[in-house]
Structures are given as C-alpha cells and as structure tokens.
Amino acid sequence: IIKGGETLAEEFMINDFVMALSTGDMAAILTALTAMALVFLIIFLAVYIYGALALMAIAKKTKTPNGWLAWIPIANVFLIIQIAKQPWWHIFALLLYFIPAVGGLAFLVVSAFWWWKIAESIKREGWQGILMVIPIVNLIMLGVFAWGK
C-alpha cells in the first residue's frame, strides 16, 4: 500500500520512532538545534562585520565616498560597483540570480570582473580579484585588499 510516496510499513516505523522519543529526548534535540542555530548566527555576524569593515577600508583606500554603505545589504553591492569605477546600472546584475540554472554563474562572472577592477584600483594585479569568488579564500583576500600594503 503506497501512501504519500511511503509504504504503510515505513509510515508506521516513523510514527513508532517519534512516539518512542521521550520528552527529555525531544528537549535534548531542541537544545542541540538551538545551539547549532546560535553558532551559525554568531559565525554569520562575525563574517558580516568583518566583510563590512574590510569593504569600508577598501572604500577609504580608494577614496570612494559613502563607505558606510558597506553595512547595508544590496547597498554594499552598489559600493562595490563604485569602488570598481563601473556605471551605476551594473547594480542590475543582481537580477541575474533570478535566472534559473545559469544566473548564479553569470553573477559570479560579473562579480569576478568587479573584483578584478577593484584589485587594479588598489595597485594589485587584477587576477587577485578573481580569487574573491573562491569560498574561504575570499575572506583572506578581502583582508589583504583592505589592510595589505
């Protein structure tokens, strides 16, 4: 007997498992999930603050006005475009995310171009900007761009 994609036996096994959990087990699971969420929130906030401070430092280094835009989502992309000395309408590149399948990749290419231009504007080689599309490496390069010589 198929019910909602599962056999009736599988449904009973799931129900038996849930029923077998005591209140203490449920509290332990909820506590663990809450702790994980808190850890992820702290990591997210730390990375966001680091990124905003670094972007503000890059704006200051390139004498780009309104460095405080680094703290505002979407406005920080506008700041990146200003630092890269690209036309304001490049902000519409954010709409690439809404194109299924290829949108994310297209935005990655545009982002790499912006960071190439930013690297050149702070007297670094342009290829270093491409490293900004690599996870973890981008955090390192952001610090190098912001506070490196």
Side-chain angles (χ1 to χ4, degrees):
I1 299 172
I2 304 288
K3 181 179 177 186
E6 300 174 340
T7 64
L8 195 54
E10 288 174 334
E11 186 177 332
F12 282 128
M13 286 173 50
I14 292 169
N15 286 339
D16 288 343
F17 175 73
V18 171
M19 296 301 281
L21 291 176
S22 68
T23 306
D25 293 336
M26 291 292 231
I29 291 171
L30 186 59
T31 301
L33 289 174
T34 303
M36 285 175 39
L38 187 60
V39 167
F40 285 125
L41 178 65
I42 290 169
I43 291 171
F44 171 78
L45 286 174
V47 169
Y48 190 82
I49 291 168
Y50 170 75
L53 289 171
L55 195 53
M56 281 180 63
I58 293 170
K60 185 177 180 180
K61 189 183 269 192
T62 59
K63 296 178 179 50
T64 304
N66 302 322
W68 55 268
L69 290 173
W71 295 97
I72 305 170
I74 299 176
N76 58 10
V77 176
F78 184 71
L79 180 61
I80 289 170
I81 292 167
Q82 286 181 326
I83 295 169
K85 295 177 179 57
Q86 298 302 305
W88 67 269
W89 51 265
H90 275 224
I91 194 75
F92 293 119
L94 287 173
L95 297 175
L96 290 171
Y97 270 122
F98 295 106
I99 301 172
V102 296
L105 183 61
F107 184 77
L108 200 65
V109 170
V110 171
S111 179
F113 171 74
W114 291 338
W115 283 105
W116 181 290
K117 292 297 192 177
I118 289 171
E120 288 177 342
S121 73
I122 57 174
K123 311 287 190 274
R124 295 204 167 259
E125 294 190 34
W127 64 265
Q128 292 177 347
I130 294 176
L131 297 175
M132 287 296 293
V133 301
I134 303 171
I136 308 300
V137 175
N138 60 358
L139 296 174
I140 297 166
M141 290 309 297
L142 194 56
V144 169
F145 287 166
W147 300 291
K149 300 211 183 227

